[in-house]
């Protein structure tokens, strides 16, 4: 254990912020830390749009299902997978040669690249006393989000991230995770570890959600996951990505 | 600036390790830190297979293009996107109801989830004095990797990660990144920032690669990216994923 691991182990999603702003210097330090994350063959296939304009934040909040914290946080980061710089390079230096920005491989590369960068940025922000929450909800209306931000071809917004100072009057809970047995497998995948781990976790999750919601929600993790996986949400993502020239071959 | 940001800013990929082993306690601490990363709706859609068996490491190294550091590192982590626990939950609690493990949305969720966890784990490992390098090369022969590890349906190996103590006789370079101008956009995407940023970076990258390879390689970043994007690598990924029930609708 050390200070950095202690910081990582104390992560919680912050959904209530004070009015204190995030300085441009802080923003640049956070993104610089993000940029130092590993990148597949140094492609750096991501961009981040920092939204501070209140009107734009309100519109993005509407797209993400009216999550108030998107309006209230001082900076809302939209992390984008971005193959546009690579496409430009290919068109310039290999004109007429087929390029593979539409391949699933490069879709994975760009999606992983942006996630590694964003997680470094999240850790940097938390080390500065800021709080964050990831917002997958921007994919609810991904086409509108994309238009609002003026995203070009070969770019897609993967997730948002609220950044700001946590409101000390709204302590966020430390959510228990799956037992490590379910997640860490030695020298091969052992499905039976999942079964035992999930069984134990279901009991933990019921206790956690019951306490957190004062008994209003009591479902186990497996029940929550079953509800989630049978929900036909964001099925338009495939065609949106194809319209941007991504994940199509 | 603080110690954590300083750690993040000093990341370099380590490709040469000492013989010193990584303890089970360290491995568990690293994965525990990974597990505390954010997860979309708490789905925790990932698993990590830790490979310490020398024979298995050798086979995985062959799959990834004979990268010696996969054989030499004491622990090779294979980070997998894993929707199998969710599928099991849906089959148990919502039998007969259509589920969407094959949707692009859930493919993105699982791919992002595993990347956030792995990056936290990378930071934790580095905070302990260990070094890491991500290995996308396992996708070269993803089907064989998947068989070697016994990965079930709804699981795919996204990338590997070598972990071990850096050999002090092989100092790894701190690779310069794109100017922040190219990556960070305020209140909307500004394509002209990319152009200026990439132009400046091309000059930086030529100097860096020329120095690092003693003049054997002198190509600019744009030239490297053009070569990469026109290379038809890993085009079998799409059909492999479909065979695992992923990214198909």
């Amino acid at each position: 254990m050390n200070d950095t691991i202690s910081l990582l182990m104390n992560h919680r999603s912050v959904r209530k912020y004070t009015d204190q702003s995030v300085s441009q210097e802080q923003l640049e330090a956070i993104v610089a830390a993000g940029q130092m994350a590993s990148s597949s063959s140094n492609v750096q296939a991501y961009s981040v749009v920092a939204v501070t304009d209140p009107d734009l934040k309100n519109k993005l909040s509407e797209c993400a299902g009216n999550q108030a914290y998107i309006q209230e946080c001082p900076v809302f980061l939209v992390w984008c997978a971005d193959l546009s710089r690579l496409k430009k390079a290919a068109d310039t230096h290999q004109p007429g040669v087929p390029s593979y920005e539409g391949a699933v491989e490069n879709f994975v590369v760009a999606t992983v690249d942006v996630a590694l960068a964003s997680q470094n940025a999240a850790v940097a922000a938390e080390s500065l006393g800021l709080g964050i929450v990831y917002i997958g909800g921007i994919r609810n209306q991904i086409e509108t989000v994309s238009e609002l931000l003026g995203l070009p071809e070969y770019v897609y917004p993967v997730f948002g991230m609220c950044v700001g100072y946590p409101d000390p009057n709204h302590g966020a809970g430390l959510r228990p995770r799956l037992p490590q047995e379910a997640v860490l497998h030695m020298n091969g995948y052992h499905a039976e570890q999942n079964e035992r781990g999930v069984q134990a976790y279901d009991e933990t999750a019921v206790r956690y959600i019951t306490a957190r919601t004062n008994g209003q929600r009591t479902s186990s993790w497996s029940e929550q996951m079953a509800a989630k996986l049978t929900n036909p949400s964001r099925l338009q993502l495939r065609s949106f990505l194809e319209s941007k020239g991504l994940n199509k071959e």
Side-chain angles (χ1 to χ4, degrees), chain A residues 51-215:
Chain A
V51 180
T52 54
D53 178 71
D55 182 51
L56 187 52
K57 268 195 296 170
N58 287 352
K59 286 178 180 153
L60 292 170
S61 170
E62 280 171 34
C63 290
N66 287 309
Q67 301 186 36
Y69 27 99
I70 300 177
Q71 297 170 42
E72 290 164 9
C73 68
V75 183
F76 183 60
L77 300 178
V78 182
W79 292 93
C80 305
D82 188 343
L83 290 165
S84 75
R85 289 185 291 264
L86 271 65
K87 176 64 172 162
K88 177 82 190 294
D91 289 347
T92 303
H93 296 287
Q94 303 272 4
V97 178
S99 59
Y100 295 91
E101 61 283 351
V104 177
E105 163 65 14
N106 285 317
F107 178 66
V108 168
V109 161
T111 303
V112 169
D113 254 27
V114 70
L116 301 186
S118 75
Q119 186 54 22
N120 254 19
V123 172
E126 291 179 346
S127 80
L128 294 169
L130 294 159
I132 65 109
V133 60
Y134 279 86
I135 305 289
I138 61 161
R139 296 194 302 275
N140 289 350
Q141 296 189 43
I142 195 165
E143 190 151 3
T144 309
V145 168
S146 186
E147 281 165 12
L148 284 168
L149 301 178
L151 302 184
E153 272 189 290
Y154 316 119
V155 179
Y156 88 99
V158 189
F159 43 76
M161 181 189 284
C162 299
V163 183
Y165 285 94
D167 183 338
N169 299 320
H170 287 76
L174 199 65
R175 192 199 283 268
R177 295 302 199 267
L178 279 164
Q180 195 164 83
E181 173 182 36
V183 168
L184 174 58
H185 300 243
M186 296 304 296
N187 293 304
Y189 192 95
H190 308 291
E192 70 279 10
Q193 292 183 205
N194 277 334
E195 310 221 355
R196 286 197 303 265
V198 169
Q199 202 164 23
Y201 189 53
D202 273 343
E203 295 170 22
T204 311
V206 168
R207 280 194 299 272
Y208 176 79
I209 200 76
T210 304
R212 214 189 65 170
T213 65
N214 290 321

Side-chain angles (χ1 to χ4, degrees), chain A residues 5-46:
Chain A
I5 292 184
S6 172
L7 181 78
L8 298 173
M9 294 305 293
N10 278 288
H11 163 72
R12 51 207 81 200
S13 294
V14 171
R15 294 184 173 84
K16 197 80 189 169
Y17 299 94
T18 69
D19 290 339
Q20 196 179 341
S21 63
V22 174
S23 70
Q24 187 68 21
E25 194 185 357
Q26 286 176 315
L27 174 61
E28 290 171 9
I30 290 165
V31 173
Q35 289 190 260
M36 287 311 294
S38 294
S39 163
S40 177
S41 302
N42 197 32
V43 298
Q44 301 175 71
Y46 57 86

